[in-house]
Amino acid sequence: MSELRKLTFGYLGLLALLALTVASSLINLGGFNVALNLTIAAAKAALIALLFMHLTGTLPRLAVAAAGLWLIILFGLTVIGR
């Protein structure tokens, strides 16, 4: 797949996720709104990381997984401390 085609699909995917974010702000889903918006934000971050940061090799994926694990540990310690 050519680079331009990947970037075009990435752009369209980001636009679709943006539309979902705007649509979710107009609908009152109670506490589910936060979970939905965080899921959409995570999908946007993953799309940006894969396409624009070129995190498709084995070593970059390992580094991202380690950083994600560290972030989960820090969030967990924050929740436990409350």
Side-chain angles (χ1 to χ4, degrees), residues 2-50:
S2 71
E3 189 69 23
L4 180 61
R5 190 175 181 124
K6 284 182 187 178
L7 292 177
T8 303
F9 282 134
Y11 178 70
L12 293 175
L14 286 172
L15 281 178
L17 290 170
L18 174 66
L20 279 175
T21 302
V22 172
S24 73
S25 71
L26 299 174
I27 300 170
N28 186 12
L29 299 175
F32 186 66
N33 248 359
V34 174
L36 179 64
N37 288 330
L38 285 175
T39 304
I40 293 170
K44 287 179 191 177
L47 190 60
I48 288 170
L50 289 174

Side-chain angles (χ1 to χ4, degrees), residues 43-66:
K44 287 179 191 177
L47 190 60
I48 288 170
L50 289 174
L51 286 177
F52 300 112
M53 298 173 69
H54 304 288
L55 297 178
T56 56
T58 305
L59 189 59
R61 283 186 187 170
L62 181 62
V64 169

